[in-house]
């Protein structure tokens, strides 16, 4: 049995007492279930936001590193890239949801091509444009988060939430979403 201070008169009250023996006020209780629920949901939202921001920052850093390694005037042509691995989006997302280690072994650092439904077209805190693509289910986690290549910005600007899109890019792994870098929008 713990003693707590009465909110009315300030005297000590047993935590399991029905009322304060001095003034009759109910003893203070712990946080309500509603408060706890809001705190948990707020924490989860903060983690999701932080994860998306960090993914964008990592993506921007990787984009800058790949630019410094390239000689000026040279850019990888479509002919020099390895052929993309066609992957059904449901399969990709379920693999990562089931076992991230196995999914990384199958997809990480591989160029894939997949099609799905656009959920968002946004910019991260580093001003990198990305598209989130999923199966179209509501509240879907994870989704494919495609960081758009610079030459694809006009195509990304023409996308709308709910439209179908086919994307191609290199899988970087899972960080809340399946991150795919240097995405090309194959068809609208």
């Amino acid at each position: 049995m713990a003693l707590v201070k009465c909110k009315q008169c300030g005297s000590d009250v047993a935590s399991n007492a029905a009322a304060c023996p001095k003034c009759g006020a109910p003893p203070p209780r712990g946080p309500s279930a509603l408060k706890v629920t809001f705190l948990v949901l707020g924490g989860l939202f903060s983690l999701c936001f932080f994860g998306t921001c960090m993914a964008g920052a990592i993506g921007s850093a990787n984009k800058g590193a790949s630019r410094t390694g390239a000689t000026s005037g040279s850019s990888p042509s479509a002919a020099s890239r390895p052929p993309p691995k066609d992957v059904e989006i449901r399969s990709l997302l379920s693999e990562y949801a089931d076992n991230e280690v196995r999914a990384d072994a199958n997809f990480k650092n591989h160029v894939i091509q997949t099609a799905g439904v656009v959920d968002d077209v946004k910019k991260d805190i580093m001003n990198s444009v990305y598209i989130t693509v999923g199966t179209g289910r509501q509240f879907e986690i994870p989704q494919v988060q495609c960081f758009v290549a610079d030459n694809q910005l006009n195509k990304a600007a023409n996308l709308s939430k709910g439209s179908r899109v086919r994307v191609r890019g290199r899988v970087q792994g899972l960080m809340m979403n399946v991150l795919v870098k240097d995405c090309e929008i194959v068809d609208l």
Side-chain angles (χ1 to χ4, degrees), residues 33-89:
L34 185 61
K35 282 184 182 178
V36 171
T37 302
F38 279 129
L39 287 173
V40 168
L41 289 176
L44 287 174
F45 177 77
S46 298
L47 283 174
C48 291
F49 179 76
F50 181 71
T52 301
C53 292
M54 288 303 297
I58 291 169
S60 295
N62 287 343
K63 189 186 293 185
S66 67
R67 282 189 191 143
T68 58
T71 59
S72 62
S74 69
S75 64
S77 67
S80 67
R81 291 186 185 163
K85 182 178 184 179
D86 278 322
V87 179
E88 186 179 326
I89 196 159

Side-chain angles (χ1 to χ4, degrees), residues 74-114:
S74 69
S75 64
S77 67
S80 67
R81 291 186 185 163
K85 182 178 184 179
D86 278 322
V87 179
E88 186 179 326
I89 196 159
R90 287 182 200 275
S91 171
L92 178 68
L93 296 177
S94 66
E95 280 282 326
Y96 270 101
D98 182 49
N99 185 329
E100 181 182 354
V101 174
R102 180 179 59 227
D104 274 349
N106 291 332
F107 301 112
K108 192 170 183 177
N109 295 320
H110 291 269
V111 176
I112 64 158
Q113 182 169 298
T114 191

Side-chain angles (χ1 to χ4, degrees), residues 112-136:
I112 64 158
Q113 182 169 298
T114 191
V117 178
V118 175
D119 187 47
D120 269 322
V121 181
K122 293 189 173 188
K123 291 182 179 181
D124 65 7
I125 61 171
M126 300 298 287
N127 222 20
S128 297
V129 175
Y130 68 89
I131 306 165
T132 53
V133 180
T135 62

